[in-house]
Amino acid sequence: MFRLQGSPEERLRVATEFKNALEALPESIEVLKSIEVGLNQNPAEDWDVVLTAVVPTMADVAVYAKHPAHVAAAALLGSHKEMRGCVDYEF
């Protein structure tokens, strides 16, 4: 999850660019089996973006995180990223 800073318009613009970049990643990152990205629609909530990325193994989390396409997508948040929350789990 990501909480962004800036005006509501800025946050929505950055979140949308980030979402579009993330949704293109399965084409570039072999270990990334799927990704789902949601933008907050409820102004009463504090978080702006949530994502679920599916990789085969916990070791693949690092492959995904370090992949240049993922690094470039994450860079789109720039100075707008206020907070990040993450949970890595197996199912």
Side-chain angles (χ1 to χ4, degrees):
M1 295 187 310
F2 294 88
R3 181 180 305 153
L4 305 178
Q5 51 190 351
S7 70
E9 295 81 15
E10 289 173 310
R11 291 176 23 230
L12 179 59
R13 178 185 56 77
V14 171
T16 301
E17 290 174 5
F18 184 50
K19 178 183 189 308
N20 292 338
L22 290 174
E23 289 176 340
L25 292 180
E27 297 173 15
S28 303
I29 304 175
E30 186 174 328
V31 300
L32 183 58
K33 299 307 175 194
S34 67
I35 193 164
E36 182 178 329
V37 184
L39 303 183
N40 181 36
Q41 302 295 308
N42 182 353
E45 296 297 336
D46 293 331
W47 295 89
D48 296 291
V49 182
V50 65
L51 70 98
T52 301
V54 177
V55 296
T57 69
M58 288 302 293
D60 290 327
V61 173
V63 173
Y64 160 71
K66 294 177 184 177
H67 192 282
H70 175 262
V71 172
L76 292 173
L77 294 180
S79 63
H80 290 280
K81 182 172 70 175
E82 180 177 315
M83 190 174 288
R84 174 184 174 268
C86 179
V87 176
D88 294 328
Y89 63 94
E90 294 180 329
F91 57 91

